[in-house]
Amino acid sequence: MAATEGDAAPAARLGGGLLAAALALPGCSVQAADMPTETQVAFKWLGYQDWQPGLKRVRVEAPSLRIEAPVGERWSLAATATQDSVSGASPRYHSAVSGASVMSDRRQAGDVKLTQHGERSSWRIGAAGSDEHDFRSRALSLEGSWSSEDNNRQWHAGLGFTRDRIGSMDDASLHARRRTVELSAGLTQVLSAVDVVQLDLTLADGQGHYSDPYKRIDRRPDERRQRIVLLRWNHHLEGLGATLRTSWRWYGDSFGIRSHTVSAEWVQALSPRWALTPSLRVYTQRAAWFYYDPVYSYAGAPLPPGYLEHAPATLSPDARLAGFGALTAGLKLALRLTGGWTADLRLDHYAQRGGWRLDGDGSPGLAPLRARFVQVGVARRF
């Protein structure tokens, strides 16, 4: 797939319907998580296709179902189930010669979260799991949030633990493990009747198997430290009936990858029922310190210069670890229907090139990549 790396209630007092949801920061409310008063059932389907010059690569279809409901007076429960179907050609090397092979896989994933709601605070415990024929993941999380007396400021913190098992269809003897601990903290602040900002910090430390079991030459360090800074600003333009949602994300890890992501969405109300959201995302990434550009000189997997004489302990040709830049342009149409129903359709186009890296030279051997995303969703509250 392409290399990369919610609506909230407190804005409701600033406006109504779709605009209130647009002004809210995705996945975070300024108040402590509001106790849902209705049950919501939502279905979403994602379709993905990427391609390189002369090669149609990976296709993904992923339907998902989400349910959120109140439980008693102070509790709520949310659960999501997803199934991914992946098919197509495995990732090619970066020269004009393709060593791609046909692949097919299916993944089942799900998560459940139980939340206790207080007057100005909330606590949430969650569990998640993902299963494929060669990969299994289990995760636990604990989150808390606290709001100020005027509900214009919120602090939030979280702790997560993930345990993975990695296998390979090409190597039946591979039974590797990986463990990751993640800490997060943040602050959300209402600046005015039309401005909301959010700052999030995330630290993650992992140990175990990170090498790709399907690449002949892929030897990565057995630990990875990740650091993320995320800043969001949402501004509502009352005269235009629109909301501008912007964000900047910095990412760095012990592999040597450094990336910046800048995104903007313009949420425009077309009527009390319709809203249109064009979006643009710019991404730039520095390559991992052990990444190399594969170059074919004979049939078979390309080797880096001097590999046969002095094979390094760590190296990888994985395109996701390369230096590159990317652009994503999207358009979303949302509709509020009668009877508690809502529907949405989103289209995104992704383009990636080594020469598009903004803060330095990209990887010259990286083949251009393009991808298309299609998302269709329906939901009902009752």
Side-chain angles (χ1 to χ4, degrees):
M1 298 182 66
T4 59
E5 196 303 11
D7 296 329
R13 64 177 180 274
L14 306 179
L18 295 171
L19 283 181
L23 182 58
L25 290 167
C28 180
S29 97
V30 181
Q31 294 175 326
D34 288 348
M35 174 74 183
T37 58
E38 299 175 297
T39 296
Q40 182 186 53
V41 178
F43 173 81
K44 188 172 290 289
W45 177 88
L46 166 68
Y48 170 91
Q49 174 72 65
D50 65 24
W51 60 93
Q52 292 177 288
L55 178 66
K56 209 171 191 179
R57 292 194 341 142
V58 178
R59 178 181 178 85
V60 179
E61 294 186 6
S64 66
L65 181 67
R66 175 179 172 81
I67 300 175
E68 183 177 15
V71 180
E73 297 182 356
R74 291 289 185 177
W75 297 83
S76 66
L77 184 68
T80 304
T82 303
Q83 179 173 275
D84 300 341
S85 176
V86 184
S87 60
S90 58
R92 72 187 300 181
Y93 289 104
H94 312 328
S95 71
V97 181
S98 173
S101 59
V102 176
M103 68 172 181
S104 178
D105 197 4
R106 190 177 297 273
R107 179 182 73 101
Q108 290 84 32
D111 67 79
V112 59
K113 292 185 177 181
L114 180 64
T115 305
Q116 182 189 45
H117 302 268
E119 183 179 355
R120 288 195 300 272
S121 65
S122 65
W123 291 93
R124 177 179 297 141
I125 185 171
S130 175
D131 287 283
E132 304 170 54
H133 70 273
D134 55 2
F135 184 81
R136 178 182 177 183
S137 181
R138 297 291 183 265
L140 295 174
S141 63
L142 177 64
E143 304 168 70
S145 61
W146 309 264
S147 297
S148 60
E149 291 188 6
D150 60 5
N151 287 322
N152 285 331
R153 178 179 300 164
Q154 180 202 68
W155 298 268
H156 44 274
L159 171 65
F161 177 77
T162 304
R163 191 169 188 174
D164 303 324
R165 293 183 180 178
I166 302 99
S168 173
M169 294 294 289
D170 296 341
D171 181 5
S173 66
L174 179 62
H175 299 285
R177 297 176 183 269
R178 182 171 62 226
R179 294 182 297 175
T180 305
V181 177
E182 180 178 303
L183 297 173
S184 62
L187 172 68
T188 304
Q189 178 69 52
V190 174
L191 298 179
S192 70
V194 294
D195 292 282
V196 182
V197 296
Q198 177 182 346
L199 174 65
D200 279 342
L201 305 175
T202 303
L203 309 176
D205 282 6
Q207 293 185 344
H209 187 88
Y210 285 97
S211 302
D212 191 325
Y214 294 102
K215 287 184 171 59
R216 175 184 169 189
I217 304 172
D218 198 283
R219 303 170 184 168
R220 309 184 192 185
D222 58 5
E223 63 178 7
R224 190 175 193 179
R225 298 182 303 277
Q226 300 168 289
R227 308 291 183 259
I228 302 171
V229 179
L230 176 62
L231 180 64
R232 291 188 176 113
W233 170 49
N234 291 354
H235 176 71
H236 181 55
L237 297 93
E238 296 185 11
L240 298 176
T243 297
L244 175 63
R245 304 198 294 197
T246 61
S247 69
W248 166 75
R249 179 183 184 269
W250 176 88
Y251 171 90
D253 66 18
S254 57
F255 285 5
I257 295 176
R258 301 291 184 270
S259 72
H260 296 269
T261 307
V262 178
S263 64
E265 295 182 335
W266 183 274
V267 185
Q268 180 65 60
L270 304 179
S271 73
R273 297 177 58 189
W274 291 90
L276 187 66
T277 307
S279 61
L280 182 65
R281 178 177 178 267
V282 180
Y283 180 84
T284 183
Q285 173 177 303
R286 187 177 81 184
W289 59 268
F290 53 86
Y291 168 82
Y292 76 94
D293 268 321
V295 177
Y296 275 93
S297 58
Y298 55 87
L303 301 175
Y307 175 82
L308 296 178
E309 293 79 14
H310 302 285
T314 53
L315 77 166
S316 175
D318 193 326
R320 293 167 295 183
L321 304 179
F324 61 89
L327 295 173
T328 305
L331 188 65
K332 178 180 179 181
L333 183 64
L335 170 64
R336 186 170 60 186
L337 302 166
T338 58
W341 287 91
T342 59
D344 62 85
L345 170 66
R346 178 168 184 145
L347 306 175
D348 290 278
H349 184 81
Y350 174 91
Q352 169 191 304
R353 294 183 180 230
W356 287 356
R357 182 185 167 193
L358 300 179
D359 53 345
D361 296 330
S363 300
L366 190 65
L369 173 70
R370 291 187 294 164
R372 179 182 62 246
F373 299 82
V374 180
Q375 296 184 62
V376 180
V378 292
R380 188 190 179 194
R381 293 183 181 274
F382 54 89

